[in-house]
Amino acid sequence: MASKTIRVTMFKIPSKENQQKLLGLYKTLSQTAKKDGKPYILSLEAGPAHDDVRSQGYTLIAKSEFRTLEDMKFYDAECEAHQALKAGVKTLGSEGIMTVYFNPEVSAAAGV
């Protein structure tokens, strides 16, 4: 069985107000994203980046986990909730977006 696919998207949105608007779009997406009428995103986390030189100007980060690469491709191309988010981002003064995705080969978790 193939491992899950993790997608990380980073945004350069200088305005704190617009960062909050983007978080609102992600909240809506988390409640409305469906495939075949059912939720399909395993997990979604989004928040502002810490103010640090290593952030290289990226101000907001979103991490999504999908059961399969095919689910992530559906998210990219067909998911109506994601299409609405992408349309909203275009109105928020983004100065850059970077997206990467991968299938983990190493995983660890603390026994919390």
Side-chain angles (χ1 to χ4, degrees), residues 74-87:
F74 172 85
Y75 177 77
D76 252 352
E78 300 177 52
C79 177
E80 290 180 18
H82 187 226
Q83 300 306 315
L85 182 137
K86 291 194 290 188

Side-chain angles (χ1 to χ4, degrees), residues 50-70:
H50 289 283
D51 188 16
D52 186 289
V53 67
R54 293 172 287 187
S55 298
Q56 298 184 25
Y58 290 99
T59 57
L60 195 133
I61 314 302
K63 182 185 105 179
S64 311
E65 294 186 19
F66 301 89
R67 191 173 323 281
T68 63
L69 179 59
E70 289 72 28

